[in-house]
Amino acid sequence: MITVTSRETGHGAVEVAVAGDVDAVTAAELRCVLDGLADGPGPVRVELDLTRVGFLDCAGARLLLRTEERLRARGGALAVLRPSAPVLRLLGLLGIDRHLPVGGAVGASRTGPGD
């Protein structure tokens, strides 16, 4: 089970905070929220707070890439904020941290593509 909350940040972005494990089963709930933002009017920047995600599997990683592609096609963007250590490790192993801005992770030196 996961908990997904979202709020407008006031600077043209929506922050989506996730708590729990994101796997093949629970990714569907997160996908509903992210699809709603990607399909909304106009471009949007989604800031995905993964501080409280203890586990992210390949289904969750695939969802991040799919969402980023959909947002980018509409002039928007996806950024991963404060990923937990296990999430940051997976993003690094899969090379996703080289394609998506990743910021605020403990011990992380890279904040985005090309940094």
Side-chain angles (χ1 to χ4, degrees), residues 35-49:
D35 283 353
L37 293 169
D39 293 337
V44 65
R45 176 177 167 83
V46 175
E47 298 171 343
L48 192 58
D49 184 342

Side-chain angles (χ1 to χ4, degrees), residues 69-113:
E69 182 178 294
R70 293 182 70 208
L71 288 167
R72 187 172 23 93
R74 299 192 60 219
L78 175 70
V80 176
L81 303 180
R82 300 174 292 279
S84 64
V87 170
L88 184 62
R89 177 169 163 66
L90 180 68
L91 295 178
L93 288 171
L94 296 176
I96 294 173
D97 63 341
R98 292 187 300 268
H99 299 284
L100 293 177
V102 177
V106 176
S109 60
R110 186 174 16 238
T111 60

Side-chain angles (χ1 to χ4, degrees), residues 13-88:
V14 175
E15 182 178 290
V16 177
V18 183
D21 294 343
V22 181
D23 56 28
V25 174
T26 61
E29 185 175 343
L30 178 57
R31 181 175 41 253
C32 286
V33 172
L34 295 176
D35 283 353
L37 293 169
D39 293 337
V44 65
R45 176 177 167 83
V46 175
E47 298 171 343
L48 192 58
D49 184 342
L50 300 180
T51 305
R52 297 175 50 204
V53 173
F55 175 77
L56 179 81
D57 74 358
C58 290
R62 191 170 39 251
L63 175 59
L64 296 181
L65 292 173
R66 176 182 169 271
T67 301
E68 189 276 334
E69 182 178 294
R70 293 182 70 208
L71 288 167
R72 187 172 23 93
R74 299 192 60 219
L78 175 70
V80 176
L81 303 180
R82 300 174 292 279
S84 64
V87 170
L88 184 62

